[in-house]
């Protein structure tokens, strides 16, 4: 289905929990979030019902995110259920990778195609500090497992925080020389926990790009928000996703579903469409609400303008 600006919407991102086994400083409060009751969270069956309806509007790609999707009970049956919907051609997951060594093989067997793994530092101390306690060795084991079981192509997503992990830029991009993976820099967004952070923490991707020598441009992929480069001896690519400095709204192809049953037409807007009455009380049709959300998509976000209304939800609730 096309939205009001002639963009084809074929991608559904589903945040299946707001809980996480890490506490990244820009994403989650140190004390974590209060655990909601079962009733406040969509069940696996309800998520599958929404996904099943969404394909009628032309959704063909689904990404599972969170919070940390691998802490949600029932994750394997969710992936199996999605894989059983014939119209869905691509099932991906965004994960911090901590539990990937444990679940990688079962996820692949259930029908997951690929993973994006978030990794902001290769240094054990800095990784522990940013994630408030995470062990980088577990993530590296997770990446190796993902490669072994074929959850490919693998993309590593990195947020660089000024004065925090700038030293990690080079070691992270060097991974693309030894492994056939993409390392992508995502600009830190002033959302939730990071909404009041001081300016020196926000580095533009242009600044990061300038610090890396030897990058050669690669042809742009349609439908991807990233601009890619590679090293002459590179097996993988280095990507830049610039939601703040250079928005890619013109190519937006997505809707978001939150763990508590709201559709978000745009990541950067507070507008949400509640699916619970349709799912639980038979009030209204899911298909019509999905269509409504698609038509509510704004032309572009205004994060870099004075009109921007800071988002109250943390990224851990929306899933990025
Ligand atoms: N727990 C999973 C993970 O970390 O990959 C999935 C959910 S996490 C919210 C998805 C992505 O959002 C991560 O790559 C994280 O770095 C990113 N993220 C969270 N808060 C952010 C912010 N304020 N600005 C930019 N990216 C952010
Ligand atoms: Fe958890 Fe991902 Fe947020 Fe880190 S970025 S706290 S891993 S949800």
């Amino acid at each position: 289905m096309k939205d009001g600006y002639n963009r084809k919407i074929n991608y559904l991102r589903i945040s299946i929990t707001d809980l996480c086994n890490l506490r990244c400083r820009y994403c989650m409060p140190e004390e974590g979030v209060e655990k909601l009751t079962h009733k406040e969270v969509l069940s696996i069956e309800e998520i599958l019902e929404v996904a099943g309806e969404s394909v009628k509007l032309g959704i063909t790609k689904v990404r599972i995110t969170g919070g940390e999707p691998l802490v949600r009970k029932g994750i394997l049956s969710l992936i199996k259920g999605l894989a059983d919907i014939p119209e869905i051609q691509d099932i991906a997951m965004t994960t911090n990778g901590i539990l990937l060594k444990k679940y990688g093989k079962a996820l692949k067997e259930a029908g997951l195609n690929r993973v994006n793994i978030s990794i902001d530092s290769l240094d054990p101390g800095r990784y522990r500090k940013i994630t408030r306690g995470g062990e980088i060795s577990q993530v590296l084991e997770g990446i190796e497992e993902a490669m072994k079981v074929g959850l490919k192509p693998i993309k590593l997503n990195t947020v660089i925080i000024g004065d925090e992990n700038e030293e990690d830029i080079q070691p992270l991009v060097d991974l693309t020389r030894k492994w056939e993976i993409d390392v992508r820099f995502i600009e830190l967004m002033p959302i939730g926990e990071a909404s009041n952070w001081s300016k020196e923490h926000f580095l533009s991707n242009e600044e990061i790009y300038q610090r890396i020598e030897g990058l050669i441009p690669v042809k742009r992929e349609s439908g991807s928000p990233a601009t890619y480069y590679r090293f002459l001896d590179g097996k993988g690519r280095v990507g830049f996703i610039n939601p703040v400095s250079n928005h890619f709204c013109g190519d937006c192809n997505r809707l978001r579903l939150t763990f508590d049953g709201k559709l978000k037409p745009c990541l950067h807007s507070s507008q949400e469409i509640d699916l619970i009455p349709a799912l639980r009380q038979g009030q209204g049709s899911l298909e019509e609400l999905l269509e409504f959300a698609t038509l509510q998509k704004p032309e572009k976000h205004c994060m870099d303008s004075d009109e921007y209304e800071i988002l109250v939800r943390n990224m851990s609730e929306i899933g990025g």
Side-chain angles (χ1 to χ4, degrees):
M1 174 174 172
K2 295 234 170 116
D3 71 0
Y5 300 93
N6 208 30
R7 293 171 298 201
K8 190 171 161 195
I9 308 304
N10 60 2
Y11 180 23
L12 180 65
R13 295 178 63 107
I14 310 176
S15 167
I16 61 169
T17 178
D18 62 337
L19 301 176
C20 187
N21 46 0
L22 296 180
R23 297 281 182 273
C24 301
R25 296 204 307 107
Y26 51 78
C27 179
M28 273 234 175
E30 186 158 16
E31 63 281 10
V33 292
E34 215 169 292
K35 198 166 180 224
L36 298 175
T37 61
H38 274 301
K39 267 183 115 180
E40 290 170 295
V41 177
L42 290 185
S43 67
I44 296 296
E45 292 71 25
E46 287 170 334
I47 297 172
L48 287 170
E49 197 178 331
V50 178
E53 286 297 311
S54 76
V55 301
K56 295 183 186 162
L57 297 174
I59 297 293
T60 55
K61 300 198 298 178
V62 172
R63 175 171 298 278
I64 302 302
T65 173
E68 173 49 40
L70 294 181
V71 302
R72 172 88 199 246
K73 275 205 189 107
I75 179 66
L76 293 174
S77 47
L78 173 64
I79 301 290
K80 279 196 196 107
L82 291 169
D84 283 341
I85 302 176
E87 293 86 348
I88 298 179
Q89 292 154 13
D90 185 32
I91 309 171
M93 178 183 286
T94 301
T95 168
N96 59 32
I98 294 280
L99 292 171
L100 209 45
K101 184 172 165 57
K102 183 171 173 195
Y103 289 119
K105 188 162 177 275
L107 287 165
K108 181 72 188 174
E109 284 167 3
L112 185 70
N113 297 112
R114 58 198 180 91
V115 282
N116 288 4
I117 302 166
S118 304
I119 181 169
D120 297 339
S121 179
L122 288 172
D123 175 81
R126 276 196 297 277
Y127 185 79
R128 223 174 274 130
K129 188 168 169 221
I130 293 172
T131 58
R132 297 194 183 102
E135 287 303 325
I136 188 62
S137 56
Q138 292 180 303
V139 185
L140 295 172
E141 284 172 5
I143 296 172
E144 282 179 25
E145 182 69 8
M147 290 196 276
K148 193 169 122 199
V149 301
L151 285 169
K152 292 197 286 197
I154 297 172
K155 295 177 181 163
L156 305 187
N157 288 339
T158 296
V159 174
I160 295 293
I161 311 162
D163 282 344
E164 219 28 84
N165 59 346
E166 292 170 66
E167 285 162 75
D168 283 289
I169 297 172
Q170 195 61 48
L172 280 162
V173 296
D174 284 341
L175 292 179
T176 70
R177 298 181 201 264
K178 71 170 180 175
W179 287 334
E180 200 187 328
I181 51 167
D182 294 342
V183 171
R184 313 186 311 168
F185 294 98
I186 303 179
E187 285 174 333
L188 177 67
M189 291 178 254
I191 290 178
E193 291 298 295
S195 57
N196 295 321
W197 281 19
S198 59
K199 278 210 158 87
E200 72 265 16
H201 291 313
F202 293 86
L203 233 61
S204 76
N205 265 347
E206 178 58 29
E207 287 169 81
I208 296 170
Y209 169 76
Q210 293 298 343
R211 295 187 199 181
I212 309 168
E213 281 179 21
L215 289 180
I216 308 163
V218 174
K219 201 168 159 248
R220 209 182 163 88
E221 252 174 36
S222 73
S224 166
T227 308
Y228 283 109
Y229 298 81
R230 66 184 319 134
F231 294 116
L232 255 186
D233 62 346
K235 292 188 176 142
R237 302 176 297 178
V238 176
F240 296 91
I241 300 181
N242 312 343
V244 183
S245 65
N246 176 14
H247 50 66
F248 34 80
C249 307
D251 290 330
C252 187
N253 59 352
R254 57 199 66 185
L255 280 181
R256 289 179 167 79
L257 173 66
T258 63
F259 60 96
D260 52 358
K262 313 283 191 296
L263 277 178
K264 283 185 78 70
C266 173
L267 169 64
H268 299 293
S269 153
S270 300
Q271 186 188 11
E272 296 184 346
I273 292 137
D274 192 0
L275 299 185
I276 297 291
L279 275 167
R280 298 192 182 159
Q281 288 111 39
Q283 289 172 20
S285 109
L286 279 181
E287 191 180 346
E288 277 172 25
L289 290 168
L290 281 153
E291 196 176 328
F292 177 71
T294 306
L295 293 172
Q296 287 295 305
K297 281 180 70 62
E299 185 179 11
K300 57 182 177 148
H301 74 66
C302 50
M303 200 169 25
D304 43 3
S305 93
D306 295 342
E307 289 162 43
Y308 183 58
E309 199 187 309
I310 286 178
L311 278 191
V312 282
R313 278 203 196 244
N314 268 329
M315 272 303 223
S316 53
E317 296 177 66
I318 312 170

